Amino acid sequence: MTKFSDLKLHAKVLKAIDEVGYTQPTPIQAGAIPPALEGRDVLGIAQTGTGKTASFTLPMITMLNRGRARARMPRSLVLAPTRELAAQVAENFDLYAKYTKLTKALLIGGVSFKEQDQLIDKGVDVLIATPGRLLDHFERGKLILTDVKVMVVDEADRMLDMGFIPDIERIFGLTPFTRQTLFFSATMAPEIERITNTFLSNPERIEVARQATTSETITQLVYEIPASGRDTGKKKRDFLRQLIDQEGEKVTNGIIFCNRKVDVDTVAKSLKKHGHDAEPIHGDLDQSYRTRTLDGFRDGKLRFLVASDVAARGLDIPNVSHVFNFDVPSHSEDYVHRIGRTGRAGRSGTAMMISTPKDDKLLAGIESLIETTIPRGETGMVKPADAAPEKPEAQEEKPTKSRSRSRRSSKSKNAAEETQSAPQPEPEATAEAPKTEERRAPKQDKPREEKRSRGGRGRGRNEDRGPKVVGLGDHLPGFIEKSFEERRTE
Ligand code: AMP
């Protein structure tokens, strides 16, 4: 079996790993570190929880330990889709590079440009950034990317979902052709395949088993409660509290997942009102509040984190005893990500999900993905009338057809629908806002209606827009228009 000491990592890195207490490399580390240290491109197909962050940070630290950065010219670049993930990579870097003199800067939204500029001006070895923020700095002339020797793209499939692929392509183009690329994605969608074919050179491909085969250390239960109509939300909140009470002291801490930001807020408020220690986390909340909340949860000061998928995705929070799915996730794979927040590193965990009749199809989709029938929990305890009265909800969601639709086949379709139908999960909450309009969503993901109205500058569909010319926008040069006119008269 491979040991860290077999991996040709720098002695200072080995010392840090030893202190952290890792005894053995994970499969992605054993697979990715040797080719990375040889200077080869790496394509890692792995998701969070597999140890992938160390699989790129450890060889980077080893390789960068020789040499120093020049002002404004970082020697390596790590791109992550969300602020939290970027911050997490930065934490990992600090941990593993503690015995080296390497410097880093974290470029994420919510932090002042001035502070970040000062660091870059001094020269950093590692720049960790979200794509939009990185390009902001670049465009302000504060950053030169021609000295980047290693570029890491983390969670590429998430980047795709969030419309960041044009940014990534642009950043690839700004770095030297000779750079080394370490590229990680949980899945290989066709668009991701295309990017890797374009920008990676003969990469070593390492694929580790999908976490989708849900960990055996997690006890899963689904509670099918007979709630429908207007007071569904209230019944679910009552039931959630009953579950928490039923689990009692077994719940040392828990993450409660909701599909929509508005429900994240409502559930957190309701739990607090009933005496539970809970805080919400989603992308509409102020960055410093989010950081405080997460830190509190990590440190064991906060018992319940009520979260949206995006806010919690990829976050490494060890020791979570319970995951509660307040909603059945709209995309089956999110179930795997959500419950993977518990039962980490061989510890036991419990994942409980509340399902209502309108969720039947989604539930069936999840069970088919994980190839398991989730055991049904006892729901006899649902007696909404027994629960403490709550104010009627202002923003209760109306059931719509699209809500019960089962998982669609492609991610791009998902993204398009997310922008179209209100009850779908919200757009990527903790993402850095894409910079240009184009970045907001990949071309193929645009809802049709949006595409149509673009050229029309907001005019109604049936209004007269003059001669219909597809593909040339509003600014049709006269001489071209003339040729169309001639055709028409013919
Ligand atoms: P990641 O997939 O990078 O988010 O890592 C998931 C968790 O695994 C983090 O808590 C790491 O600290 C931990 N981890 C990474 N490498 C190892 C290892 N070799 N042995 C044990 N735990 C590890």
Side-chain angles (χ1 to χ4, degrees):
M1 213 173 271
T2 319
K3 292 191 291 250
F4 275 113
S5 52
D6 301 332
L7 292 179
K8 298 190 180 148
L9 291 163
H10 195 283
K12 289 176 178 172
V13 175
L14 289 174
K15 188 175 173 197
I17 296 172
D18 194 44
E19 270 180 32
V20 180
Y22 302 162
T23 50
Q24 202 182 301
T26 65
I28 188 76
Q29 290 162 2
I33 293 173
L37 286 174
E38 284 167 19
R40 291 194 51 197
D41 283 359
V42 169
L43 171 56
I45 304 163
Q47 40 186 228
T48 318
T50 55
K52 75 178 161 57
T53 318
S55 79
F56 61 80
T57 41
L58 301 181
M60 272 172 82
I61 298 167
T62 298
M63 293 187 287
L64 295 169
N65 194 48
R66 261 173 276 123
R68 282 288 160 262
R70 284 183 282 168
R72 294 191 189 178
M73 298 176 87
R75 294 198 293 150
S76 67
L77 186 59
V78 180
L79 297 172
T82 64
R83 297 170 183 188
E84 280 81 3
L85 281 169
Q88 200 165 285
V89 172
E91 273 171 30
N92 273 254
F93 177 81
D94 286 344
L95 195 65
Y96 306 135
K98 68 190 268 200
Y99 293 111
T100 72
K101 291 199 173 83
L102 296 176
T103 54
K104 65 139 211 303
L106 176 63
L107 301 191
I108 53 174
V111 178
S112 89
F113 276 100
K114 200 171 151 216
E115 252 171 64
Q116 298 177 329
D117 283 346
Q118 280 168 353
L119 280 173
I120 296 172
D121 280 350
K122 275 196 236 158
V124 288
D125 298 299
V126 184
L127 193 60
I128 302 159
T130 47
R133 190 67 164 200
L134 181 94
L135 286 171
D136 281 341
H137 278 271
F138 181 79
E139 276 156 17
R140 293 165 73 245
K142 296 287 178 187
L143 195 57
I144 303 163
L145 295 174
T146 49
D147 201 29
V148 169
K149 312 245 173 343
V150 188
M151 172 163 156
V152 178
V153 179
D154 195 14
E155 305 245 342
D157 50 345
R158 204 68 195 152
M159 305 261 198
L160 173 68
D161 284 355
M162 296 164 78
F164 279 144
I165 293 299
D167 284 359
I168 299 296
E169 291 192 66
R170 189 165 163 223
I171 296 167
F172 266 125
L174 298 172
T175 58
F177 178 66
T178 49
R179 64 157 200 270
Q180 178 183 8
T181 309
L182 311 176
F183 192 99
F184 293 83
S185 186
T187 55
M188 286 302 285
E191 184 68 353
I192 301 287
E193 194 89 48
R194 183 186 68 77
I195 299 283
T196 57
N197 290 339
T198 313
F199 295 104
L200 272 64
S201 160
N202 186 27
E204 175 82 18
R205 187 180 165 118
I206 301 116
E207 186 159 358
V208 299
R210 273 183 69 83
Q211 218 184 0
T213 46
T214 47
S215 165
E216 282 167 15
T217 56
I218 305 172
T219 306
Q220 300 176 61
L221 282 165
V222 59
Y223 294 84
E224 295 180 295
I225 67 167
S228 61
R230 282 188 67 82
D231 62 347
T232 303
K234 182 181 169 341
K235 282 187 181 154
K236 284 168 80 173
R237 291 193 296 277
D238 290 345
F239 190 70
L240 172 68
R241 291 199 308 279
Q242 292 181 52
L243 281 180
I244 292 171
D245 292 346
Q246 171 197 287
E247 287 294 284
E249 284 181 5
K250 281 189 270 172
V251 191
T252 46
N253 61 354
I255 305 181
I256 297 152
F257 282 98
C258 302
N259 288 356
R260 306 187 315 147
K261 286 182 262 189
V262 60
D263 292 326
V264 168
D265 285 329
T266 314
V267 170
K269 226 159 112 190
S270 152
L271 284 173
K272 277 202 248 189
K273 201 178 99 183
H274 288 86
H276 291 289
D277 181 23
E279 291 294 339
I281 182 160
H282 60 67
D284 287 352
L285 297 166
D286 171 66
Q287 179 64 34
S288 62
Y289 176 85
R290 273 159 41 190
T291 309
R292 247 193 346 267
T293 304
L294 265 181
D295 287 349
F297 190 69
R298 277 206 181 100
D299 298 346
K301 289 180 195 134
L302 173 69
R303 189 172 179 219
F304 292 111
L305 189 67
V306 190
S308 65
D309 286 292
V310 174
R313 177 122 180 202
L315 292 181
D316 178 36
I317 305 167
N319 295 330
V320 175
S321 75
H322 283 66
V323 164
F324 297 96
N325 280 302
F326 181 79
D327 296 308
V328 176
S330 306
H331 306 314
S332 309
E333 61 268 38
D334 282 337
Y335 177 76
V336 180
H337 293 299
R338 288 180 180 189
I339 75 164
R341 307 293 98 211
T342 182
R344 279 165 104 81
R347 295 191 187 91
S348 63
T350 304
M352 298 176 152
M353 178 156 72
I354 302 174
S355 178
T356 63
K358 76 175 167 56
D359 301 318
D360 284 352
K361 272 191 190 160
L362 295 176
L363 180 56
I366 290 168
E367 292 184 321
S368 113
L369 175 77
I370 62 173
E371 295 174 355
T372 310
T373 304
I374 306 170
R376 267 51 180 172
E378 188 53 60
T379 57
M381 59 204 277
V382 204
K383 289 183 206 127
D386 293 346
E390 254 187 49
K391 268 196 224 151
E393 221 173 281
Q395 282 158 306
E396 193 61 74
E397 165 196 358
K398 284 197 195 90
T400 69
K401 269 189 206 156
S402 63
R403 189 69 201 268
S404 61
R405 225 176 286 153
S406 64
R407 182 176 163 247
R408 289 154 297 274
S409 58
S410 87
K411 292 217 165 194
S412 50
K413 271 193 209 157
N414 290 347
E417 289 216 10
E418 279 174 16
T419 33
Q420 275 179 314
S421 49
Q424 287 291 317
E426 288 122 34
E428 305 305 338
T430 49
E432 296 298 296
K435 273 194 89 262
T436 62
E437 221 183 334
E438 185 195 15
R439 278 184 221 147
R440 222 156 271 148
K443 263 192 188 128
Q444 71 274 22
D445 290 350
K446 297 242 167 61
R448 275 201 191 154
E449 210 48 57
E450 191 190 325
K451 270 188 190 161
R452 253 190 228 124
S453 64
R454 275 262 181 104
R457 301 264 189 275
R459 280 177 296 192
R461 235 197 299 177
N462 300 324
E463 280 179 45
D464 180 24
R465 295 183 199 170
K468 196 179 171 195
V469 181
V470 178
L472 291 167
D474 284 342
H475 307 291
L476 188 65
F479 72 95
I480 296 182
E481 195 163 23
K482 199 156 175 277
S483 68
F484 280 91
E485 289 299 336
E486 279 164 13
R487 269 269 172 85
R488 262 200 293 275
T489 45
E490 273 168 25

